[in-house]
Amino acid sequence: DAGVIQSPRHEVTEMGQEVTLRCKPISGHDYLFWYRQTMMRGLELLIYFNNNVPIDDSGMPEDRFSAKMPNASFSTLKIQPSEPRDSAVYFCASSLDRNIQYFGAGTRLSVL
Amino acid sequence: SQQGEEDPQALSIQEGENATMNCSYKTSINNLQWYRQNSGRGLVHLILIRSNEREKHSGRLRVTLDTSKKSSSLLITASRAADTASYFCATDTNAGNMLTFGGGTRLMVKP
């Protein structure tokens, strides 16, 4: 298996633009997690899905953030409109059970 | 505040020396995990220790868990330059199917 695949690896956009981050989890994994990592706040869980259903989105910063998982092999995290404070590395991770999580390489987002 | 807090925040050692990182947490756990993150990469799972275990080994890694003190340590023996990375502890509690990560320890191993 290729592991968790995220795209794009880098995204530079201007404030106010819509940003869509994509994730393909490991086949067969039931859980999918979206994290945000910054120097100031560390690694924060934004939302996670179980069997394509959002379970906990309490970490989503505000209504500008939304996440979907239309099927077991694809998820998106959307920011609309984007702001400079959204600049961070966004990670997707998947898990077969509640124990070990497998992370993608991340998307480095810069909002100018 | 974070469930897990690593100590020290940064550690610099010479190749061949041992590196010890500590993690403290606040609430009861099901298990505690350690992850490594190389610069510009995602986190990679290293080892998991369950709440009823006290010590676990994996290659050059040794993890201990003291539930009475709510703390864990990660020991890397005979360190190599390739061990340079950030190391995170993550706790699995009964609060849903998710992990709570600490702030990490940045380890630098000088050749």
Side-chain angles (χ1 to χ4, degrees), chain A residues 66-87:
Chain A
S66 63
K68 294 182 180 178
M69 192 165 186
N71 56 62
S73 60
F74 184 66
S75 177
T76 59
L77 178 67
K78 186 175 292 186
I79 308 173
Q80 166 64 16
S82 59
E83 297 182 2
R85 60 193 168 118
D86 302 330
S87 297

